[in-house]
Amino acid sequence: MSNSGRTVDWLHLAGPRYLRSEDRSFFRPLVDLEPGPARVFLGIVLPVDGVSGLERRHRTASRYLSDFGVAMYCGFGRQPGADGMETMREHRRVARSIKHDA
């Protein structure tokens, strides 16, 4: 990110679109990630498996990257829900399930 030519505050890395996301090979490249001062957000929230899936992916990703936030795997545009607010509320509920050591 030092080559971007501008300040990078955060970086969203899309996560897996499949449920076998505990596969370490998906997250292993994060070991070499050098985000500098940017905050990394991994797209590991999938509506299809909720809190249990997020916790599983978070545990696996944590083996390779120690500090990151969580986000939807590919944004909010194609997510289920009656409306955008429902999708946002569900995202907040699931994301809050991750406990961080501060």
Side-chain angles (χ1 to χ4, degrees), residues 3-93:
N3 295 326
S4 71
R6 63 181 185 81
T7 301
V8 177
D9 295 316
W10 56 270
L11 172 66
H12 177 269
L13 299 172
R17 293 188 64 190
Y18 54 91
L19 296 179
R20 291 195 43 79
S21 55
E22 66 274 8
D23 180 0
R24 293 180 186 180
S25 66
F26 183 87
F27 296 103
R28 193 169 288 122
L30 295 174
V31 166
D32 297 323
L33 184 64
E34 296 178 11
R39 177 85 165 127
V40 175
F41 289 86
L42 298 180
I44 58 175
V45 177
L46 287 115
V48 69
D49 64 355
V51 172
S52 63
L54 173 59
E55 289 174 344
R56 188 176 64 247
R57 286 183 287 281
H58 190 274
R59 275 192 308 273
T60 304
S62 293
R63 294 173 178 254
Y64 305 101
L65 187 64
S66 61
D67 183 31
F68 60 90
V70 299
M72 287 288 214
Y73 73 95
C74 193
F76 291 107
R78 295 179 296 276
Q79 300 306 317
D83 60 44
M85 291 307 295
E86 180 182 333
T87 299
M88 295 294 284
R89 282 190 297 273
E90 178 62 9
H91 180 272
R92 180 180 60 197
R93 183 188 73 77

Side-chain angles (χ1 to χ4, degrees), residues 88-101:
M88 295 294 284
R89 282 190 297 273
E90 178 62 9
H91 180 272
R92 180 180 60 197
R93 183 188 73 77
V94 172
R96 284 184 171 171
S97 71
I98 297 299
K99 305 292 186 251
H100 292 282
D101 296 327

